[in-house]
Amino acid sequence: MPDDILLTDLRDNVLILTLNRPSKLNALSPDLLKRLAEELEAADADDSVKVVVFYGGEKVFAAGADITAMAQLNPTGVLQSGTRGYWKRIWDFGKPMIAAVRGIAFGGGCELAMSCDLIVASESSQFAQPEIKLGIMPGAGGTQRLAAAIGPYRTMEMVLTGEPISAQEAHDAGLVNRLVPDEKVLEEALALAATIAQRPQVAVRLARQAVRYGVERTLLDGLKMERRNYRMLYDTEDQKEGMAAFLEKRDPQFKDR
Ligand code: CO8
């Protein structure tokens, strides 16, 4: 179904999941996250899937979580929204994941790319954690996974200013595995996926698990603090103002409370 919010395509043991909300820049609505989680759960149990590639089409990877679904939430609402459970299913997926990024990967879109094991990016793509401009902060691992990938100083600049970095900067900083011309992104991601799919899968699974364990284990406390602070921000006037301003297409008037 071409108008489905998530397109699936299984090619030679590689499952391509294409986010398909182009009119909303692939914003990760609760429905879309749920679909992603469900597809991954099925893929985990399906031996014909060896690698998953996340793609957002030719224009945009994803502009983050869907702000319309978040604007009115309070901390309890964040807790009850169920989206964290969908994210967790993405993080718990047991097979290699590759992000094929064209266009912007912002906020939750950047965090989705960083949830993957490898990132292939087009030369014109951009990465950002712009949540600060909405009165919130990254909440799906951005503060920790970005720092693990590119170091605390560059992360601090991105998280505190909300400004994007180019694909070239992301590549130089170690966030992007392969930087390729725009039209080659999916092809390159699929070539990487094909190589991994040809390796012995028990070894792939266990090697991946060991690498991830080493990295993620050191992030656990930080992720806990990120989760708590992220939720706390939904108790502020600035979060309500920041998100209302985005939806009303105006500049926010923050009051620092
Ligand atoms: N959510 C909802 N709608 C969006 C989003 C979004 N994140 N991004 C874009 N859209 C919509 C716009 O509202 C617009 O809709 P419409 O045409 O109906 O008005 C359409 O997509 C096109 O967007 P723009 O007109 O804004 O396109 P521009 O090219 O002018 O601007 C930008 C592109 C700069 C990317 C701009 O759209 C933007 O700043 N988007 C928001 C980026 C952002 O702040 N992302 C972070 C969101 S918060 C987040 O991701 C937190 C995740 C934490 C998860 C925690 C789990 C528990």
Side-chain angles (χ1 to χ4, degrees), residues 30-96:
D31 281 357
L32 179 50
L33 284 169
K34 182 165 185 268
R35 282 291 311 282
L36 275 174
E38 287 168 354
E39 289 297 341
L40 289 178
E41 201 157 288
D44 233 348
D46 180 351
D47 287 343
S48 69
V49 177
K50 296 185 177 174
V51 182
V52 168
V53 170
F54 290 90
Y55 186 49
E58 295 179 0
K59 297 232 165 69
V60 58
F61 186 68
D66 192 322
I67 297 165
T68 36
M70 301 150 71
Q72 295 308 320
L73 293 179
N74 59 21
T76 312
V78 172
L79 200 62
Q80 291 173 332
S81 69
T83 53
R84 184 158 298 282
Y86 304 141
W87 279 101
K88 188 159 183 327
R89 280 199 252 165
I90 296 170
W91 299 327
D92 289 347
F93 184 63
K95 301 175 186 180

Side-chain angles (χ1 to χ4, degrees), residues 9 15 53 92 114 159 169 179 195-196 217 235 252:
D9 182 6
L15 176 66
V53 170
D92 289 347
M114 291 190 293
V159 169
E169 287 173 284
L179 185 61
T195 302
I196 295 168
R217 208 170 62 107
D235 206 14

Side-chain angles (χ1 to χ4, degrees), residues 56-237:
E58 295 179 0
K59 297 232 165 69
V60 58
F61 186 68
D66 192 322
I67 297 165
T68 36
M70 301 150 71
Q72 295 308 320
L73 293 179
N74 59 21
T76 312
V78 172
L79 200 62
Q80 291 173 332
S81 69
T83 53
R84 184 158 298 282
Y86 304 141
W87 279 101
K88 188 159 183 327
R89 280 199 252 165
I90 296 170
W91 299 327
D92 289 347
F93 184 63
K95 301 175 186 180
M97 298 185 281
I98 302 177
V101 178
R102 284 186 76 164
I104 58 166
F106 282 9
C110 188
E111 289 169 312
L112 180 63
M114 291 190 293
S115 302
C116 293
D117 303 296
L118 299 151
I119 301 179
V120 176
S122 77
E123 282 161 352
S124 65
S125 61
Q126 289 186 299
F127 295 80
Q129 295 293 160
E131 290 89 344
I132 201 86
K133 297 178 181 176
L134 299 168
I136 59 164
M137 59 179 277
T143 61
Q144 306 304 302
R145 290 196 179 91
L146 195 55
I150 71 173
Y153 290 92
R154 284 184 171 114
T155 298
M156 202 59 95
E157 185 171 337
M158 286 179 73
V159 169
L160 299 188
T161 67
E163 295 302 323
I165 59 169
S166 67
Q168 183 68 56
E169 287 173 284
H171 183 256
D172 294 347
L175 181 63
V176 164
N177 293 80
R178 307 241 169 124
L179 185 61
V180 296
D182 290 2
E183 66 284 359
K184 297 271 185 207
V185 168
L186 189 57
E187 189 182 318
E188 186 70 21
L190 290 175
L192 254 178
T195 302
I196 295 168
Q198 284 159 17
R199 301 291 184 245
Q201 292 304 300
V202 178
V204 163
R205 205 175 173 105
L206 295 182
R208 172 182 183 267
Q209 194 180 46
V211 175
R212 283 179 85 98
Y213 183 78
V215 177
E216 302 253 318
R217 208 170 62 107
T218 61
L219 305 183
L220 285 178
D221 281 347
L223 288 169
K224 220 182 278 178
M225 171 168 282
E226 178 193 270
R227 189 158 69 225
R228 189 198 67 180
N229 290 1
Y230 172 81
R231 205 185 306 145
M232 210 188 309
L233 284 164
Y234 284 78
D235 206 14
T236 64
E237 289 178 31

